[in-house]
């Protein structure tokens, strides 16, 4: 396997897949689906239920933090992260 030509243009990722809010929401959706599967599975996967709930909670917390940072960046706050606008 050879290295790609440095002058060759690589295809870009579609904007909807590089948007952080889409990726975070997709991750939360996957955890919700996993939780439903575990709940339907009964006792077989009952030990995984706390992990699923934690995944949803951490995803929601991450989404809230991202939204707060984006709002701060759009307002132009001094301590806000750059590049989130």
């Amino acid at each position: 396997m050879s290295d790609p030509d440095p002058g060759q243009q690589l295809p870009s990722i579609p904007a909807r897949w590089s948007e952080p809010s889409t990726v975070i929401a997709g991750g939360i959706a996957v955890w919700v689906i996993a939780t439903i599967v575990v709940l339907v599975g009964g006792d077989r996967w009952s030990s995984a239920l706390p992990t699923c709930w934690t995944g949803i909670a951490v995803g929601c917390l991450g989404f809230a933090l991202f939204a707060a940072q984006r709002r701060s960046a759009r307002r132009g706050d001094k301590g806000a992260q750059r590049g989130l606008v």
Side-chain angles (χ1 to χ4, degrees):
M1 192 160 133
S2 64
D3 291 333
D5 181 19
Q8 179 183 4
Q9 292 291 338
L10 296 175
S12 62
I13 298 174
R16 68 174 184 257
W17 294 113
S18 61
E19 175 70 25
S21 58
T22 305
V23 175
I24 295 170
I28 294 171
V30 170
W31 279 113
V32 168
I33 291 168
T35 303
I36 292 169
V37 168
V38 167
L39 287 172
V40 170
D43 290 338
R44 182 176 178 188
W45 292 329
S46 62
S47 63
L49 192 57
T51 303
C52 293
W53 288 122
T54 303
I56 293 170
V58 170
C60 290
L61 177 64
F63 192 82
L65 290 172
F66 170 76
Q69 280 293 326
R70 178 177 266 184
R71 188 172 48 250
S72 295
R74 287 183 175 166
R75 270 193 320 233
D77 290 347
K78 202 174 195 180
Q81 292 181 1
R82 305 276 186 244
L84 293 178
V85 179

